[in-house]
Amino acid sequence: MDKIMLAHGGGGQKTTDLIRNKIQKYFNDPELSQMDDAAVLDKLVFTTDSFVVEPLFFPGGDIGELAVSGTVNDIAVMGARPLYLSVGFIIEEGFEINNFETILESMKRAAETSPVRIVTGDTKVVDRGKCDGIYINTSGIGEIAFTPPPGVERIQPGDMVLINGPIGLHAISVLTARKEFGLDTEVLSDVAPLWSLIEQLNDFAVKFMRDPTRGGIAQVLNEIAGDRDFGVEIWEDSLPITQEVVGVCEILGFDILHLANEGKVIVVAAEKDAEKILEIMENDPLGKGAKIIGKVTEKNKGMVTLKTTALSERIVLPPTGELIPRIC
Amino acid sequence: MDKIMLAHGGGGQKTTDLIRNKIQKYFNDPELSQMDDAAVLDKLVFTTDSFVVEPLFFPGGDIGELAVSGTVNDIAVMGARPLYLSVGFIIEEGFEINNFETILESMKRAAETSPVRIVTGDTKVVDRGKCDGIYINTSGIGEIAFTPPPGVERIQPGDMVLINGPIGLHAISVLTARKEFGLDTEVLSDVAPLWSLIEQLNDFAVKFMRDPTRGGIAQVLNEIAGDRDFGVEIWEDSLPITQEVVGVCEILGFDILHLANEGKVIVVAAEKDAEKILEIMENDPLGKGAKIIGKVTEKNKGMVTLKTTALSERIVLPPTGELIPRIC
């Protein structure tokens, strides 16, 4: 590993390697070593994310909505109420102010529906050709609202795994917007801030939540199961999928489990509450198509398996390369 | 204004225009409208900064040290103790891992001396040619330590203006590292985290602090005086300057008051405490060459003036264009 590769930014195994072997060699704060998407500091949650999506505008959203939703969701999945956002713009010389305003408007709207306050910011301009229009960093502060807060150490065999709707929409939306593959599907990105949905789950035995962005649900489920004393089993016929996404995956050879989502949350909950959580999701606009997709098992410790038929299953690995770069 | 210009990132009038006319049109949180470098949220301070300096390595520092120091200083000048940093990397495909490690090491060292904990992060990789090696965003959380906290509304005529050492070092260091002008001076950047110095001023009547980065001390002093019921007068023969920096300014026609600093703080303090603050600065490694450089006046309301001789003075304006882009 002597040069940065696109796969280092893919959110899969290469990203994990870069963080563990290089970044954590220098930054070894115990909070950082947790490798959560946010740090928990007493009652506060603190998180950061940079957005470099290409193209900036895609069916169903744009980089502005993405930048607010991504950070709001990283806070929300910690069981924390999003309070404050910072915004850092890196803009290319010559970028159209009109496009900038469209992005600002999307951010404003997403922040209002979260709701979260944008309280501090920074703007840098780089020469033409030194960025791809605009990059946005958002960092966020939230306060823990769930008691007890969710955490991977609370997961036990018998817990159920849920997701709030169809997977892969964001990745396929961005991909089709690039027009590289001559796809004429119109898949809308699922990008959305999720706190208004997640907030309603506070009364139930939620063990763990995570938004399956880069690396998809395969990455999140492997982070859950990895090195632990249980396995995670998911069921193919329960996965919420759409025909358009499956169609694109078949044509291009993508694994739908690796595709990024930007308005989805994986919830691990006690079996007794799983049906109630499903009902809440189904009754919320952000949970249309929600499903119980699997369970935590005693067997296959440390592994994620996909049950394809009653008799057959395969191991689900995290992505090792970068399927679709610049997805968020 | 229909396209982004480099001057929009210069920290001067054009940046102010972009923020006031465009960004604040959409983001209108009362905290953001203060246009401080950080938001004050109850007892917390929250700030963000993106670093796009070119070149990444310059005499006296690198982008890593800059990224930690810049955010630590934005917190410190609010009279707040820096606690936590987030780090967001945007890295270009093909970037040398060795260089990345050098940057990480600088960040680690700067964080340790601040001291501040790096608790959360994010890494994105963009295609070759879509960034200039590496861009770094740091966001930070601090807690108010000064009682009462400094604030521009506390400034009164008669207060004194101090700075902790020679000005313009960072800008000239970066400029000479570019080798564009055939300069063979070796000016070291002043980049440094300043909390260890600022912390010692807590017992004194500090009215206001600000780090004069982009736009230089001309920008900061104009932000202090602008639209207010007092003026700020500074004295040419009291300004801490070095011969090398003055020499470069003469050759290239730069106004030294517009040059960026990364290890300097402008302190406005009650006259009774100014000499004591000066003494503390002079006894600290971060305050070598500190000076009382001016005072807050009843006359020339809303303006900054530079007294060049006993009988002569000129108005100091904030920079309107972008003297030296990509300085931080």
Side-chain angles (χ1 to χ4, degrees):
Chain A
M1 164 155 70
D2 63 346
K3 285 183 197 288
I4 293 287
M5 300 184 295
L6 277 174
H8 285 126
Q13 191 55 44
K14 285 276 182 195
T15 304
T16 307
D17 291 348
L18 181 71
I19 295 172
R20 283 205 201 282
N21 301 334
K22 298 296 173 185
I23 297 180
Q24 291 189 349
K25 187 166 134 194
Y26 298 95
F27 303 167
N28 47 17
D29 194 275
E31 256 312 308
L32 193 71
S33 310
Q34 299 271 326
M35 297 210 36
D36 280 329
D37 283 349
V40 179
L41 309 160
D42 194 12
K43 283 284 169 198
L44 289 183
V45 166
F46 184 30
T47 185
T48 193
D49 224 332
S50 298
F51 296 86
V52 298
V53 65
E54 193 277 305
L56 302 172
F57 301 91
F58 45 82
D62 62 32
I63 189 172
E65 192 173 357
L66 198 57
V68 170
S69 301
T71 292
V72 162
N73 293 348
D74 280 349
I75 294 170
V77 297
M78 304 299 284
R81 177 184 304 279
L83 296 177
Y84 307 115
L85 285 195
S86 67
V87 177
F89 296 111
I90 298 174
I91 316 177
E92 191 172 6
E93 186 188 9
F95 191 65
E96 293 285 345
I97 299 268
N98 278 349
N99 286 338
F100 185 43
E101 290 208 51
T102 304
I103 291 165
L104 289 169
E105 202 168 351
S106 295
M107 296 185 79
K108 174 189 167 74
R109 201 172 47 240
E112 281 168 357
T113 58
S114 294
V116 69
R117 290 172 57 188
I118 295 174
V119 294
T120 188
D122 174 64
T123 304
K124 293 282 157 48
V125 178
V126 294
D127 335 60
R128 278 167 210 269
K130 296 297 183 186
C131 132
D132 203 2
I134 187 168
Y135 297 148
I136 305 178
N137 176 284
T138 50
S139 300
I141 299 176
E143 65 182 351
I144 298 284
F146 276 47
T147 44
V152 74
E153 70 289 348
R154 293 182 52 213
I155 298 177
Q156 291 171 311
D159 289 344
M160 305 302 278
V161 181
L162 299 93
I163 194 163
N164 60 314
I167 57 178
L169 301 178
H170 178 70
I172 299 305
S173 155
V174 171
L175 196 70
T176 53
R178 288 190 199 154
K179 304 187 197 308
E180 277 171 23
F181 298 100
L183 299 169
D184 64 352
T185 53
E186 175 83 339
V187 173
L188 298 185
S189 168
D190 58 345
V191 59
L194 291 174
W195 174 245
S196 62
L197 170 64
I198 287 174
E199 187 177 24
Q200 302 170 55
L201 310 183
N202 190 1
D203 295 332
F204 301 97
V206 171
K207 305 291 192 78
F208 179 83
M209 294 185 282
R210 183 64 59 90
D211 50 334
T213 55
R214 286 183 293 174
I217 71 172
Q219 177 67 23
V220 168
L221 296 176
N222 272 282
E223 284 174 12
I224 292 174
D227 297 329
R228 294 210 170 77
D229 209 25
F230 54 75
V232 173
E233 175 186 285
I234 55 174
W235 312 312
E236 182 167 316
D237 59 7
S238 300
L239 284 178
I241 50 177
T242 67
Q243 278 318 309
E244 290 89 345
V245 172
V246 171
V248 174
C249 284
E250 279 172 359
I251 293 168
L252 299 177
F254 291 154
D255 185 338
I256 196 170
L257 303 179
H258 289 173
L259 294 183
N261 312 273
E262 291 291 344
K264 293 297 174 301
V265 56
I266 286 182
V267 175
V268 182
E271 189 181 5
K272 71 177 175 61
D273 284 348
E275 288 291 341
K276 288 176 243 169
I277 289 172
L278 182 65
E279 198 183 317
I280 289 171
M281 287 179 172
E282 286 172 333
N283 286 322
D284 192 285
L286 295 171
K288 296 294 167 218
K291 295 275 186 192
I292 297 173
I293 62 169
K295 66 178 179 188
V296 180
T297 60
E298 300 239 19
K299 62 173 186 174
N300 295 327
K301 293 186 203 308
M303 286 161 55
V304 180
T305 50
L306 175 72
K307 230 177 157 53
T308 49
T309 65
L311 295 178
S312 171
E313 60 185 17
R314 72 165 171 96
I315 294 172
V316 176
L317 295 173
T320 50
E322 171 66 305
L323 268 187
I324 311 173
R326 312 277 306 277
I327 204 71
C328 63
Chain B
M1 162 156 72
D2 61 348
K3 285 183 198 287
I4 293 287
M5 300 184 295
L6 277 174
H8 285 126
Q13 191 55 45
K14 285 275 181 196
T15 304
T16 306
D17 291 348
L18 181 71
I19 295 171
R20 283 204 201 282
N21 302 335
K22 298 295 174 185
I23 297 180
Q24 291 189 347
K25 187 166 134 193
Y26 299 95
F27 303 166
N28 48 17
D29 194 275
E31 256 313 308
L32 193 71
S33 310
Q34 299 270 327
M35 296 209 39
D36 280 329
D37 283 348
V40 180
L41 309 160
D42 194 12
K43 284 284 170 198
L44 289 184
V45 165
F46 184 30
T47 186
T48 193
D49 224 332
S50 298
F51 296 85
V52 298
V53 66
E54 193 277 305
L56 302 173
F57 301 91
F58 45 81
D62 62 32
I63 190 173
E65 191 173 358
L66 198 58
V68 170
S69 301
T71 292
V72 162
N73 293 347
D74 281 348
I75 295 170
V77 297
M78 303 300 282
R81 177 184 305 280
L83 296 177
Y84 307 115
L85 285 194
S86 67
V87 177
F89 295 111
I90 299 173
I91 317 178
E92 192 172 6
E93 186 189 7
F95 191 65
E96 293 285 344
I97 299 268
N98 278 348
N99 286 338
F100 186 42
E101 289 209 51
T102 304
I103 290 164
L104 288 169
E105 201 167 352
S106 294
M107 296 185 79
K108 174 188 166 75
R109 201 172 47 239
E112 281 169 356
T113 58
S114 295
V116 69
R117 290 172 55 187
I118 296 173
V119 294
T120 188
D122 174 63
T123 303
K124 293 280 159 49
V125 177
V126 294
D127 335 60
R128 279 166 210 269
K130 295 299 183 186
C131 135
D132 204 1
I134 186 169
Y135 298 147
I136 304 178
N137 176 284
T138 50
S139 300
I141 300 177
E143 65 182 351
I144 298 283
F146 277 46
T147 44
V152 75
E153 71 288 349
R154 293 182 52 213
I155 298 176
Q156 291 170 311
D159 289 343
M160 306 302 279
V161 180
L162 298 94
I163 194 163
N164 60 315
I167 58 179
L169 300 180
H170 177 70
I172 299 304
S173 155
V174 171
L175 197 70
T176 52
R178 287 190 200 155
K179 304 187 196 309
E180 277 171 23
F181 297 101
L183 299 170
D184 63 353
T185 53
E186 175 83 339
V187 174
L188 298 186
S189 167
D190 58 345
V191 58
L194 291 174
W195 174 245
S196 62
L197 170 63
I198 287 173
E199 187 177 24
Q200 303 169 55
L201 310 182
N202 190 0
D203 296 332
F204 302 98
V206 171
K207 305 291 192 78
F208 179 83
M209 294 184 283
R210 184 64 58 92
D211 49 334
T213 56
R214 285 184 294 174
I217 71 171
Q219 178 68 21
V220 169
L221 296 176
N222 273 282
E223 284 174 12
I224 293 174
D227 297 329
R228 295 210 169 77
D229 208 26
F230 53 75
V232 173
E233 175 186 285
I234 55 172
W235 311 313
E236 182 168 317
D237 59 7
S238 299
L239 285 178
I241 50 176
T242 66
Q243 278 317 308
E244 289 89 346
V245 172
V246 171
V248 174
C249 284
E250 280 172 358
I251 294 168
L252 299 177
F254 292 153
D255 185 338
I256 195 169
L257 303 179
H258 289 173
L259 294 184
N261 311 274
E262 291 291 346
K264 292 297 174 302
V265 56
I266 286 181
V267 175
V268 182
E271 190 181 4
K272 70 177 175 64
D273 284 347
E275 288 291 341
K276 287 176 245 170
I277 290 171
L278 182 65
E279 199 183 316
I280 288 170
M281 287 179 171
E282 286 172 333
N283 286 323
D284 192 285
L286 295 170
K288 296 294 166 217
K291 294 275 187 192
I292 296 173
I293 61 169
K295 66 178 179 189
V296 180
T297 61
E298 301 239 17
K299 64 173 186 176
N300 294 327
K301 292 185 203 309
M303 286 162 53
V304 180
T305 50
L306 174 72
K307 229 177 157 56
T308 49
T309 66
L311 295 177
S312 171
E313 60 185 17
R314 71 165 171 96
I315 294 171
V316 176
L317 295 174
T320 51
E322 171 66 305
L323 269 187
I324 310 173
R326 311 276 307 276
I327 203 72
C328 63

